[in-house]
Amino acid sequence: MKGRRKKIQHVFVYFVMLGMSAFLIMGGMRQLAMTHELRTSINQKQKEKKALSSKKKELEKAKQNLTNPDYVEYVARGKYLVTKEGEQVFKFPSKDN
């Protein structure tokens, strides 16, 4: 009877240890998956930051150009066909049309 009781205790301890090991392994796997997702997210955010940084530089350059009267005149005349008094504008069809 004593031997059988010890055997049952050993089996019980074995299953408890097996369950705890499985629980810890599953927790570790979840942590690895979360770490992978976070690293992917960080890489994506860094790419977005780089793109936004270059966009910001372009916008700052455009802002700086808008303070230049010669550039403003160039855009107004070229894009919006603004003319000086007494001028005539002739618009020719482009090669694409």
Side-chain angles (χ1 to χ4, degrees):
M1 194 79 166
K2 259 187 174 180
R4 185 175 176 167
R5 188 173 183 179
K6 271 199 173 214
K7 205 176 216 185
I8 291 173
Q9 285 178 346
H10 285 294
V11 170
F12 179 72
V13 169
Y14 173 74
F15 279 119
V16 168
M17 295 296 279
L18 187 63
M20 288 174 55
S21 296
F23 178 74
L24 291 174
I25 289 172
M26 299 256 309
M29 295 297 284
R30 276 191 238 126
Q31 290 294 323
L32 284 174
M34 187 184 302
T35 301
H36 182 309
E37 288 176 20
L38 289 173
R39 283 187 180 165
T40 303
S41 176
I42 287 171
N43 288 338
Q44 181 183 7
K45 298 299 179 191
Q46 286 176 340
K47 288 178 184 176
E48 288 177 19
K49 180 182 174 186
K50 197 174 194 180
L52 289 173
S53 177
S54 66
K55 177 89 173 179
K56 179 182 175 187
K57 286 180 184 177
E58 290 174 18
L59 290 173
E60 286 175 351
K61 184 176 180 182
K63 177 183 170 186
Q64 190 176 30
N65 284 340
L66 289 175
T67 60
N68 182 351
D70 294 332
Y71 179 78
V72 173
E73 180 182 353
Y74 169 77
V75 171
R77 290 170 144 268
K79 190 172 184 181
Y80 300 108
L81 302 176
V82 175
T83 61
K84 292 182 180 179
E85 195 171 320
E87 282 185 331
Q88 288 184 338
V89 176
F90 297 98
K91 188 168 182 178
F92 298 102
S94 64
K95 291 180 182 180
D96 296 336
N97 292 337

